[in-house]
Amino acid sequence: MHYTTLILGAGAAGLMAAAQAGPGTLLVDHARAPGEKIRISGGGRCNFTNMHCDFGNFLGANPHFHKSALSRYSQWDFLDLVQRHNIPWHEKTLGQLFCDRSARDIVAMLVAETQAAGATLWLQTRLRDLSRTDAGFVASLERDGRSVTVTADNLVVATGGKSIPKMGATGMAYDIARQFNMPVTETRPGLVPLTFPENRFAPLAGVATPVRICHGSASFDEALLFTHRGLSGPAILQISSYWTESESISIDLLPTTALARILRDKRRVEGRRNLTTELTQHLPSRLVEFLGQTLDLKGNLGDLSDARIESLATALGSWTVMPNGSEGYRTAEVTLGGIDTAGLSSASMMSKTVPGLYFIGEAVDVTGWLGGYNFQWAWSSGHAAGTAIRTAQARAG
């Protein structure tokens, strides 16, 4: 069987690429259904993009690589597609867009787009071998218990990264890249909870509070969640993409509270008020109790000197913690690193050294923030590859 384009991976990026590449496209995936990560995302509602998506919301060795694809297919383009399919949606915090009903609406929309484009979808199909000859790419596939050999002029790798291995995630994309002598950067879990020794925060498990979290030049105002294993919540997931082992993280526990001024004012009028009682007006009581193990929170407000007030405000405004690791790919939402963008065209996502070979989505060394940014990268990079293939076909034919 010969196809113009073979796409490996029917996730977000693969489905988008198939919808653009058009007739002569074969899209394959090992799963029973397409778009499984889409289906489970956002609590089943799919945070499909972000209204504030901008070039600065992405990490990678080349901070400019993603600009081309994102500018040519933006969040507004994908939102227009959603609305054309009459999918109801709503905006949540920080520009995050979700389906009103179900993430399945997004999957159904993308499948409908691939069908309308004339692409073929094979599920429960596994890649057993891959090579390249003068005739193009040759893939040995296992489908319905039998071996099928497929040749294709173009190969698009959209198999994702290593995150959430229980859903079948592997390093296949990196193996394929190395097979064709393409560079791969170091990978690690991203958007992942962080762990601490000796279950340090286990007594606070379930407690959540808004914070400002910082590491280097990165800063996020989000919620922090204490767990039996360490720290989680949007704030931690965001900063985890910037953190590396043996580094500390700074947390402002009261980012919108002028604590020093409040304590000085209350000292004048409520001097007999206990300090911990006042702090529980601004922080969860269990957290205040926990902090009292390392900070001097004894006494009444009237006993506080200006120096002690300033010292306490500083301590709570720059609470420093030292994670000893992360929960790994098991719970990571994305994989940092991947196919080195130095080996790809930013306009088409095609290899600079292997004509017809494309890498898109999470497999590439482009990682977005939490909040719909990684889906937008999938849509944009898939669109870039698919349209490049369709344009090349039109010129050739």
Side-chain angles (χ1 to χ4, degrees):
M1 296 183 184
H2 181 78
Y3 290 87
T4 302
T5 304
L6 171 62
I7 302 177
L8 303 177
L15 286 164
M16 178 58 80
Q20 306 307 313
T25 297
L26 174 63
L27 174 62
V28 304
D29 198 288
H30 70 277
R32 294 177 178 271
E36 283 295 85
K37 276 193 176 182
I38 300 174
R39 181 183 60 80
I40 68 169
S41 67
R45 295 289 181 89
C46 186
N47 179 192
F48 57 81
T49 193
N50 194 294
M51 295 184 75
H52 305 315
C53 189
D54 193 68
F55 303 143
N57 306 127
F58 296 84
L59 297 78
N62 181 346
H64 305 290
F65 178 85
H66 54 278
K67 294 180 179 180
S68 177
L70 289 168
S71 63
R72 287 181 292 117
Y73 193 83
S74 71
Q75 64 269 38
W76 309 116
D77 294 305
F78 191 78
L79 182 58
D80 179 64
L81 179 63
V82 168
Q83 294 180 149
R84 282 192 278 118
H85 280 259
N86 298 312
I87 298 174
W89 57 276
H90 61 277
E91 179 184 356
K92 292 184 75 172
T93 58
L94 304 174
Q96 301 170 66
L97 303 189
F98 288 79
C99 297
D100 284 355
R101 295 185 303 232
S102 168
R104 296 179 188 275
D105 287 344
I106 298 295
V107 178
M109 175 191 75
L110 294 168
V111 171
E113 288 287 310
T114 63
Q115 292 173 340
T120 300
L121 173 61
W122 286 0
L123 297 170
Q124 294 182 276
T125 302
R126 296 184 179 276
L127 177 69
R128 293 306 184 193
D129 190 55
L130 179 67
S131 61
R132 187 168 183 264
T133 68
D134 292 340
F137 296 93
V138 181
S140 175
L141 306 173
E142 183 180 306
R143 184 171 186 251
D144 296 330
R146 59 190 179 90
S147 179
V148 179
T149 299
V150 168
T151 60
D153 301 323
N154 304 293
L155 175 67
V156 181
V157 182
T159 54
K162 298 178 180 179
S163 59
I164 317 183
K166 69 179 180 181
M167 296 190 68
T170 67
M172 178 187 292
Y174 317 134
D175 294 337
I176 293 174
R178 295 186 184 99
Q179 178 181 345
F180 292 102
N181 297 315
M182 292 189 60
V184 178
T185 69
E186 181 182 357
T187 61
R188 59 188 179 88
L191 301 181
V192 62
L194 299 178
T195 58
F196 289 77
E198 301 174 353
N199 298 322
R200 178 182 174 189
F201 298 116
L204 295 175
V207 172
T209 187
V211 302
R212 176 173 297 130
I213 193 162
C214 303
H215 181 69
S217 61
S219 175
F220 297 94
D221 284 34
E222 293 267 21
L224 171 74
L225 173 67
F226 294 90
T227 73
H228 287 286
R229 292 179 294 275
L231 298 178
S232 187
I236 289 296
L237 299 188
Q238 294 281 35
I239 212 68
S240 71
S241 293
Y242 295 84
W243 173 84
T244 56
E245 290 193 18
S246 77
E247 295 178 338
S248 63
I249 292 171
S250 177
I251 302 174
D252 184 347
L253 293 170
L254 296 165
T256 60
T257 302
L259 184 64
R261 178 181 59 77
I262 291 173
L263 292 180
R264 286 194 296 268
D265 291 345
K266 290 289 183 72
R267 181 179 58 184
R268 288 196 300 270
V269 296
E270 297 184 64
R272 293 185 178 182
R273 188 179 182 87
N274 188 273
L275 173 59
T276 56
T277 301
E278 176 60 31
L279 289 178
T280 58
Q281 301 300 305
H282 311 286
L283 290 169
S285 57
R286 284 168 60 193
L287 177 56
V288 173
E289 182 181 354
F290 180 86
L291 292 170
Q293 298 174 14
T294 54
L295 299 177
D296 181 10
L297 303 183
K298 299 181 180 68
N300 298 327
L301 298 181
D303 301 326
L304 301 179
S305 65
D306 285 347
R308 187 177 168 196
I309 287 175
E310 290 298 332
S311 176
L312 177 60
T314 298
L316 297 180
S318 56
W319 188 44
T320 302
V321 296
M322 178 76 76
N324 69 343
S326 77
E327 292 192 4
Y329 292 114
R330 181 181 63 85
T331 59
E333 296 200 14
V334 293
T335 302
L336 292 157
I339 311 303
D340 194 334
T341 54
L344 299 174
S345 162
S346 62
S348 67
M349 307 302 296
M350 187 174 77
S351 166
K352 293 179 179 179
T353 56
V354 185
L357 178 60
Y358 299 77
F359 290 89
I360 57 177
E362 187 185 347
V364 179
D365 180 22
V366 174
T367 303
W369 289 1
L370 181 73
Y373 298 98
N374 288 291
F375 271 133
Q376 186 56 50
W377 170 244
W379 316 138
S380 298
S381 60
H383 188 275
T387 53
I389 290 170
R390 190 179 66 229
T391 300
Q393 283 182 264
R395 289 173 178 169

